[in-house]
Amino acid sequence: MAMEIPAEVRRYWLPILLFTAGFLFQLLVLPRHFPPTHYDVLGIERFAPVERVVEAYERLSKEWLSETNHQPTVDIIKIRYAYELLTNPILKRDYDHFGLDEHMDVLERVKEQYQKEHFLKIDLPLLKDSVVSLTDDAFNVLTHESFMSAIAEEYPLIILVYSKGSPRCAQFIEYWKQISARLDGIAKTAMVEVGDSHLAGHFAEKGFSKQPFFRNGVPAIVAYPANCRSPSCYMRYLGGLFVDSVVDWVATSVVGLPRILYYSKEALGPQFIGKSGHHKVKVICFSSTGERAAPFLRQAAQEYSSYASFAFVLWREDESQIWWNSLGVESAPALVFLKGPGTKPVVHHGTFTKSEFTEMMEEHKHHELRQLRSDTSLELGCDARGHSRAGNDAAIWYCVIVAGRPGVELSKKRQILRKAQDQLIGGVDRSAIGNVANSVEISSAATALKDERLTFVWLDGEVQKQICAFYLATDYSGACGPRGFEDDNDKPEIFIVRFQRNATYEALKAEKKNNLMEALQGQQTDASQLVARYKGPDEIQEINRWISQIIKDGDSREIPYFISKVPDLVPEETSKEWLRSTKSIRSAGKSLKKNIGFHFQDYLTDPRIGSTLLMCGCISFGIIWLRNNKPTNSTQQEKAPKDKTKRPRPKLSTSLFGQPESIADVEPKDARQWEMSDSDSD
């Protein structure tokens, strides 16, 4: 049979629980988070000067040499460690101001090594000198005066808080040089020494005792974003002190650059090449180290988001044959540009600088056959509201378009049209050097292409279904419109659009620029357009011959100028939408879990917690005691004799008009009305 809990214990369970928690916190938890200081080990007051430290150590060392001394070796090691720490000016300064003790690993190692040995066998000194030596100009060491001007600049500022006497800082200096080099161009770096206690204390955390401290010691890293001009709006880095981790935190959380993901050989095709935009050049970086993308690569991914998609691949020797056969990559590091279906990958082996990468991106940012989109139509010269690539002086220009639904058939047509374009470009080059005998005949198309009056593009007929159907004069089927269920009727078509600009009409339009109705219509085109569809075979020579004939007729014939309402291109992916999606990326440097853990650790060091629990226990005990005694007093009052001389006052009923009725007006039950006889009748 289980032991029954006494009624008093069950009644006062809450005060008992609070009293127990308060006593345990004061006796067990709090002392563990406030261990004895090095001053306590020497038996002197805190922040005592070096002279008092030396006196206390000499007094204790004399006791070691006495024959009656039985002090354990571990205690002697603690005393010696405290003496060496507090007699070093830099280490004592760090310990007094911020509680920094960067040599605890040395103390633990020596205690374990000599705990069973005699104290005279200890190798002294315990602490070796490790001073951080650097030049202020090379590392941009801030002072209190230069700090405000540094955070007022437009660039983000990354600050390293370090100590000259910290061995961890001495080891991290080389990493800091690499971090500064990688952040060049996107953020500026600076350093603050803890000796400047006013400035370093600004970046330190403060607990319940108001004593500043660095939670993870030094070096510590803080950052001021570009839009931050106040000294208190900095961000604190809480991750590991590694070059790749720090650079990733700065690039992602401080600057706001996008991450470039790694893909395996199985996921590269379906997850990256298949899902990124059809109009974008695929930029694939092969890395042998597995490090995250450098900041200038992320910056390029942001700037060229409308033109290219970026991916990383980890190079493995067992997969080298696959990459050689598919992309022509021999080794890592390497950079690959995929510029459309059927094109040969452009491969660059070796490392490259930021300027070299920018030059490569400018050279390879376009597909060899570009896509006609809402944000590229004016640039390509395929928009009636704009002009040709040749400039405003060109009155007639042409745009050859292959339209269709994305798929195998459209890819084949794009390759054919791209090869036709390459043949015309090759014909122009051969004619420029005078090699006419071995080159194809220079046609009207080659001349127009050379003069930038001819452009080759492709159109997504599924997304741009309205303008596709307008040009082809057809319904939503074949090349235009969405693909239906089990619809295999993909028939991409090639057509050419002739644009003609009328200077007279533009002059009239300039005179009517203040006409409100003209501005609101927004559908009137600036150039006349004629469309011709290609019906011949899919042969490069036939396509170029057909294009040349169209251009020859279009340039020589007098065609009446007319305008028509052309459907607008549907806006597809834009750089602004892409940048807005990157803003949701957050760094994992300070998560909610870490925040909760840090605050919980801080509360364990608050001496007010135990007293608060004891006070709550007393208050709850008093409330329960008063509540239990209150019913007893009420029952005694109920048992008191009542005064019987007092009669209850009768209730007065209200009449129809709200006035109380008198007792005389009440008619008795079973009463009858007697008729009165007339006295005059007698």
Side-chain angles (χ1 to χ4, degrees):
M1 182 178 180
M3 183 181 297
E4 185 178 357
I5 301 176
E8 294 296 327
V9 176
R10 285 181 293 169
R11 183 178 302 168
Y12 293 98
W13 68 271
L14 181 59
I16 293 174
L17 179 62
L18 293 175
F19 279 130
T20 304
F23 281 116
L24 291 177
F25 185 87
Q26 293 292 112
L27 298 177
L28 300 179
V29 178
L30 197 59
R32 293 183 59 185
H33 290 83
F34 285 93
T37 65
H38 296 307
Y39 292 97
D40 297 332
V41 172
L42 295 173
I44 56 178
E45 69 277 7
R46 185 158 187 166
F47 308 121
V50 178
E51 292 77 9
R52 292 278 295 119
V53 174
V54 175
E55 292 175 2
Y57 177 74
E58 290 178 351
R59 175 177 51 81
L60 294 173
S61 62
K62 291 179 181 179
E63 298 178 1
W64 301 348
L65 302 176
S66 63
E67 297 180 356
T68 59
N69 177 54
H70 299 289
Q71 194 169 10
T73 304
V74 174
D75 295 341
I76 298 176
I77 293 174
K78 292 180 181 178
I79 295 173
R80 178 66 189 188
Y81 178 83
Y83 165 74
E84 293 186 11
L85 179 72
L86 298 178
T87 53
N88 187 309
I90 297 179
L91 300 182
K92 186 178 188 300
R93 177 203 66 186
D94 298 346
Y95 184 71
D96 291 345
H97 289 175
F98 303 103
L100 294 174
D101 189 358
E102 301 290 339
H103 302 80
M104 288 301 295
D105 57 333
V106 177
L107 177 60
E108 297 299 328
R109 186 177 68 253
V110 174
K111 285 164 55 177
E112 183 179 358
Q113 182 179 358
Y114 295 102
Q115 61 180 346
K116 296 181 180 180
E117 301 288 342
H118 194 270
F119 67 91
L120 294 177
K121 296 183 179 180
I122 301 175
D123 185 18
L124 300 179
L126 300 178
L127 303 180
K128 312 298 181 183
D129 291 335
S130 58
V131 179
V132 179
S133 60
L134 47 87
T135 59
D136 294 356
D137 296 336
F139 290 92
N140 189 22
V141 179
L142 296 178
T143 61
H144 184 67
E145 292 75 17
S146 61
F147 168 68
M148 294 303 298
S149 60
I151 65 175
E153 297 182 4
E154 297 180 358
Y155 282 92
L157 179 64
I158 316 301
I159 299 176
L160 175 71
V161 183
Y162 76 102
S163 171
K164 292 182 179 179
S166 170
R168 293 179 60 197
C169 294
Q171 297 173 1
F172 188 73
I173 286 299
E174 293 299 324
Y175 292 160
W176 184 248
K177 293 180 182 178
Q178 300 178 29
I179 292 172
S180 301
R182 294 193 183 188
L183 296 179
D184 185 27
I186 68 167
K188 293 187 175 181
T189 58
M191 301 177 68
V192 172
E193 214 275 327
V194 296
D196 190 348
S197 57
H198 183 72
L199 185 55
H202 177 71
F203 302 118
E205 300 182 57
K206 294 178 177 61
F208 296 100
S209 61
K210 304 302 180 182
Q211 177 70 21
F213 69 98
F214 291 96
R215 190 178 301 276
N216 297 327
V218 290
I221 299 175
V222 296
Y224 284 89
N227 56 353
C228 175
R229 297 295 179 266
S230 172
S232 59
C233 66
Y234 60 87
M235 304 167 61
R236 195 185 304 276
Y237 175 68
L238 300 174
L241 295 175
F242 306 102
V243 176
D244 189 43
S245 301
V246 175
V247 172
D248 176 67
W249 174 74
V250 174
T252 305
S253 297
V254 181
V255 184
L257 297 177
R259 286 193 174 102
I260 301 178
L261 303 180
Y262 271 83
Y263 293 88
S264 63
K265 67 178 189 301
E266 295 84 8
L268 183 65
Q271 298 296 328
F272 173 66
I273 298 177
K275 290 188 176 181
S276 57
H278 299 288
H279 61 283
K280 292 186 178 183
V281 175
K282 311 302 183 293
V283 183
I284 306 174
C285 304
F286 285 85
S287 171
S288 58
T289 61
E291 291 185 352
R292 282 164 280 205
F296 73 86
L297 284 175
R298 300 186 182 195
Q299 202 170 28
Q302 189 177 53
E303 294 174 356
Y304 293 94
S305 60
S306 298
Y307 304 98
S309 299
F310 292 76
F312 260 79
V313 174
L314 180 61
W315 177 266
R316 301 178 186 274
E317 291 296 334
D318 55 345
E319 300 175 355
S320 59
Q321 192 63 35
I322 299 176
W323 301 123
W324 167 252
N325 295 333
S326 58
L327 299 176
V329 179
E330 297 179 358
S331 61
L335 187 65
V336 180
F337 293 92
L338 297 179
K339 304 175 66 175
T343 59
K344 184 179 180 181
V346 180
V347 183
H348 293 271
H349 289 92
T351 59
F352 43 83
T353 62
K354 180 180 179 180
S355 58
E356 293 173 346
F357 180 75
T358 303
E359 293 178 359
M360 288 188 288
M361 283 301 304
E362 286 296 326
E363 182 182 357
H364 303 293
K365 69 178 182 179
H366 295 302
H367 273 254
E368 295 187 6
L369 184 65
R370 298 181 59 182
Q371 181 184 5
L372 178 59
R373 301 170 59 236
S374 59
D375 57 349
T376 61
S377 59
L378 292 174
E379 179 185 358
L380 295 173
C382 296
D383 194 322
R385 296 174 180 85
H387 304 286
S388 70
R389 294 184 296 125
N392 300 338
D393 295 335
I396 300 174
W397 67 96
Y398 303 88
C399 190
V400 181
I401 305 174
V402 54
R405 302 167 180 168
V408 178
E409 296 298 326
L410 179 60
S411 298
K412 293 179 180 178
K413 287 279 188 179
R414 287 169 58 185
Q415 294 181 37
I416 294 172
L417 196 62
R418 178 184 56 80
K419 292 178 180 179
Q421 174 187 270
D422 294 342
Q423 187 184 72
L424 292 179
I425 294 174
V428 172
D429 295 338
R430 284 188 289 271
S431 66
I433 61 177
N435 189 9
V436 182
N438 298 327
S439 63
V440 296
E441 182 182 0
I442 301 303
S443 61
S444 301
T447 305
L449 186 63
K450 179 182 178 181
D451 296 339
E452 296 186 340
R453 292 193 307 114
L454 175 63
T455 306
F456 289 79
V457 296
W458 70 277
L459 181 70
D460 188 344
E462 186 173 4
V463 175
Q464 309 292 346
K465 56 183 180 181
Q466 293 184 355
I467 194 170
C468 175
F470 171 81
Y471 279 138
L472 296 178
T474 182
D475 55 355
Y476 295 156
S477 62
C480 306
R483 183 182 287 106
F485 181 70
E486 294 184 354
D487 183 8
D488 296 331
N489 188 23
D490 288 340
K491 295 180 179 179
E493 294 196 39
I494 299 175
F495 58 93
I496 186 170
V497 181
R498 176 186 179 274
F499 298 92
Q500 180 180 358
R501 185 170 60 90
N502 192 319
T504 304
Y505 173 77
E506 290 187 357
L508 293 175
K509 183 181 178 183
E511 295 177 359
K512 297 180 180 180
K513 61 182 179 180
N514 295 325
N515 190 332
L516 180 61
M517 294 303 297
E518 181 78 6
L520 292 178
Q521 285 180 3
Q523 296 292 334
Q524 297 294 334
T525 59
D526 296 345
S528 173
Q529 299 180 72
L530 290 177
V531 181
R533 300 170 66 174
Y534 178 68
K535 299 294 185 179
D538 293 339
E539 296 180 2
I540 298 173
Q541 294 288 350
E542 291 296 327
I543 294 175
N544 283 339
R545 190 177 294 110
W546 171 75
I547 296 173
S548 297
Q549 187 63 41
I550 293 293
I551 294 176
K552 184 182 297 183
D553 294 342
D555 290 345
S556 59
R557 293 173 56 186
E558 291 291 337
I559 301 177
Y561 179 83
F562 66 93
I563 56 176
S564 60
K565 293 183 179 180
V566 182
D568 292 329
L569 288 164
V570 177
E572 297 179 351
E573 183 185 26
T574 61
S575 58
K576 293 183 179 180
E577 295 176 356
W578 187 87
L579 289 176
R580 186 160 54 244
S581 65
T582 62
K583 293 296 182 182
S584 61
I585 299 177
R586 294 184 178 180
S587 174
K590 190 173 182 182
S591 61
L592 179 61
K593 182 179 179 181
K594 291 185 178 181
N595 277 329
I596 295 174
F598 286 152
H599 288 299
F600 181 73
Q601 292 291 334
D602 292 342
Y603 282 119
L604 293 180
T605 62
D606 188 2
R608 298 173 294 182
I609 297 296
S611 58
T612 303
L613 292 173
L614 294 175
M615 183 180 65
C616 293
C618 294
I619 295 174
S620 61
F621 178 83
I623 293 175
I624 295 174
W625 184 83
L626 291 175
R627 186 177 296 175
N628 291 336
N629 290 338
K630 188 175 181 180
T632 305
N633 297 333
S634 61
T635 53
Q636 291 178 359
Q637 292 178 2
E638 290 177 0
K639 293 181 180 179
K642 297 181 180 180
D643 188 5
K644 297 183 179 180
T645 59
K646 294 182 179 180
R647 287 187 176 183
R649 186 175 180 180
K651 236 183 221 185
L652 298 178
S653 62
T654 57
S655 64
L656 180 63
F657 299 99
Q659 298 294 331
E661 298 177 354
S662 63
I663 299 176
D665 294 335
V666 178
E667 186 176 358
K669 192 178 180 181
D670 300 333
R672 288 186 293 177
Q673 185 69 30
W674 292 90
E675 295 182 3
M676 300 297 294
S677 60
D678 191 0
S679 57
D680 295 337
S681 63
D682 296 339

